[in-house]
Structures are given as C-alpha cells and as structure tokens.
Amino acid sequence: MTETQESARGQRMEVDPKLLEILVCPVTKTTLRYDREKQELISEKARLAFPIRDGIPIMLVDEARSLDDA
C-alpha cells in the first residue's frame, strides 16, 4: 500500500525528520515542536499550531490554529 492510499484510509503520514529539522515558525523564526498525535507543528513563541496534511506541513499563518483558543 502506498503512502497516498494510507492517507486516504485516514492513517497518519510521517513527516520527513530532515524537513522537521529545517522548518521554523514563519512568524518568529524559532524552532517548532512536532505534535505527532495532533499532526501539527507547534510554535510556542507565536502560540500557533500549524497543521500537517498528507505529510505536508502547512506553514501559512491563516491556516494555523491559535494555542490561546485551546
């Protein structure tokens, strides 16, 4: 089964660890924490959670969830 098929069946795709090492928050330029359970990249300083969809981090502020709303 391919990764695309797994994603279509609702299973989580893993993010490339090398990609996680180089990504930073687009607002603060600080490092991000990977939340595997929620499939998000967390910027503690900006108080934002960026979604990961089909294994691709969506690093747009308009798509991010505010951690202050939680």
Side-chain angles (χ1 to χ4, degrees):
M1 183 178 301
T2 67
E3 286 184 28
T4 304
Q5 289 170 326
E6 286 179 19
S7 176
R9 295 180 69 175
Q11 296 179 6
R12 292 189 186 112
M13 295 179 64
E14 288 297 315
V15 179
D16 183 343
K18 290 182 182 182
L19 181 61
L20 293 176
E21 288 178 17
I22 61 171
L23 283 176
V24 295
C25 173
V27 177
T28 64
K29 309 299 186 238
T30 56
T31 58
L32 300 163
R33 178 175 53 84
Y34 178 37
D35 185 333
R36 181 172 282 144
E37 183 69 27
K38 292 183 180 177
Q39 287 294 288
E40 295 177 327
L41 293 174
I42 309 295
S43 172
E44 299 291 347
K45 190 169 185 179
R47 305 291 301 148
L48 293 171
F50 297 91
I52 300 171
R53 297 187 189 124
D54 296 324
I56 300 169
I58 310 300
M59 304 305 295
L60 301 171
V61 175
D62 290 346
E63 294 287 324
R65 175 177 68 83
S66 173
L67 295 178
D68 294 332
D69 293 344

